[in-house]
């Protein structure tokens, strides 16, 4: 699957921080049941990769990606375990768009966008979206960077997601609000499925042009 094919599947990509491997599968099933099939498991806990493997093996309908990928070696490791995509908070040096697994790199400025375009990327995570100018920045990037499309993440929530999704250069948004840490800890999968249903009902902009 290309990055575009992945990013158009749902308006919201849940950003997941998972402490217990046992939570991985029920959490992913709740999100998929609620209509959010593209999942980003962040490499912020020691069990993250084990969670990714469990979700890939056991959760039908999930498109499982890895977030907080900071190095080319981590990207390769994601490819090796069969992750569908990777997300990074920034640009990974010497890791071009045609690497071992699709990568959505983070950018916050015009200069970073230009560096990303030079590496072959046209899809970016605007991060941290609310600090990096939010909706105004995305509107300002639209004309000089007509080929770029974004998944704003960082400070996006149920209140402002629709405003981001209304922008023509936004494909989808990312955020942790659909899987609150306390709900995961409590195993409150019904609440998470409900949050996912609300998020998946948000209007997603028209499909982005395919890559390549
Ligand atoms: C992250 O990488 O932590 C994401 O940007 C999530 O941000 P959020 O918690 O503000 O949704």
């Amino acid at each position: 699957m290309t990055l575009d094919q992945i990013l158009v599947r749902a308006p919201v990509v849940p950003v997941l921080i998972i402490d217990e491997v046992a939570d991985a599968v029920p959490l992913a099933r709740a999100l998929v049941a609620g209509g959010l099939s593209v999942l980003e498991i962040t490499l912020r806990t020691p069990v993250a990769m084990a969670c990714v493997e469990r979700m890939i093996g056991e959760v039908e309908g999930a498109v499982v990606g890895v977030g907080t990928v900071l190095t080319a070696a981590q990207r390769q490791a994601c490819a090796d375990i069969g992750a569908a995509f990777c997300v990074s908070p920034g640009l990974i040096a010497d890791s071009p768009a045609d690497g071992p697994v699709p990568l959505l790199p983070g950018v916050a400025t015009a200069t970073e966008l230009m560096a990303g375009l030079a590496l072959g990327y046209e899809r970016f995570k605007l991060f941290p979206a609310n600090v990096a100018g939010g909706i105004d920045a995305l509107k300002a990037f639209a004309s000089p960077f007509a080929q770029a499309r974004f998944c704003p993440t960082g400070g996006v929530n149920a209140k402002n997601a629709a405003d981001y999704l209304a922008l023509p250069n936004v494909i989808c948004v990312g955020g942790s609000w659909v899987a609150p840490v306390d709900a995961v800890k409590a195993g409150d999968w019904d609440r998470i499925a409900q949050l996912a249903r609300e998020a998946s009902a948000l209007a997603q902009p028209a499909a982005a042009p395919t890559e390549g």
Side-chain angles (χ1 to χ4, degrees), residues 1 5 8 11 13 22 27 43 47 73 108 120 131 138 143 156 168 173 180 183 206:
M1 245 187 281
Q5 288 167 338
V8 298
V13 177
L27 171 59
L43 290 181
V47 297
V131 180
L138 290 161
S143 177
V156 181
V173 300

Side-chain angles (χ1 to χ4, degrees), residues 13-17 40 42 44 67-68 87-89 125-130 152-157 174-178:
V13 177
V15 176
L16 306 174
I17 300 173
E40 176 189 337
T42 58
R44 298 186 202 169
T68 322
V87 183
S88 178
K125 166 179 176 168
L126 179 72
F127 181 78
N130 59 337
T153 307
V156 181
N157 54 47
S176 61
W177 85 89
V178 288

Side-chain angles (χ1 to χ4, degrees), residues 53-190:
E53 288 186 293
R54 290 282 280 273
M55 289 182 185
I56 291 172
E58 298 179 39
V59 184
E60 204 175 328
V63 176
V64 183
V66 183
T68 322
V69 172
L70 304 181
T71 67
Q74 286 176 332
R75 184 182 186 185
Q76 183 62 54
C78 295
D80 292 344
I81 65 166
F85 67 102
C86 291
V87 183
S88 178
L91 294 168
I92 301 176
D94 302 322
S95 199
D98 61 353
V101 58
L103 170 69
L104 182 72
V107 295
T109 67
T111 299
E112 291 166 8
L113 251 171
M114 289 164 64
L117 291 169
L119 285 168
Y121 296 95
E122 294 191 342
R123 307 295 179 248
F124 301 94
K125 166 179 176 168
L126 179 72
F127 181 78
N130 59 337
V131 180
I135 285 166
D136 288 343
L138 290 161
K139 283 183 179 167
F141 287 154
S143 177
F145 303 113
Q147 69 277 58
R149 298 285 182 278
F150 298 89
C151 172
T153 307
V156 181
N157 54 47
K159 287 199 178 74
N160 61 17
D163 293 336
Y164 279 103
L165 288 164
L167 299 174
N169 58 349
V170 168
I171 305 181
C172 57
V173 300
S176 61
W177 85 89
V178 288
V181 171
D182 61 327
V184 175
K185 275 201 188 342
D188 192 349
W189 312 126
D190 287 346

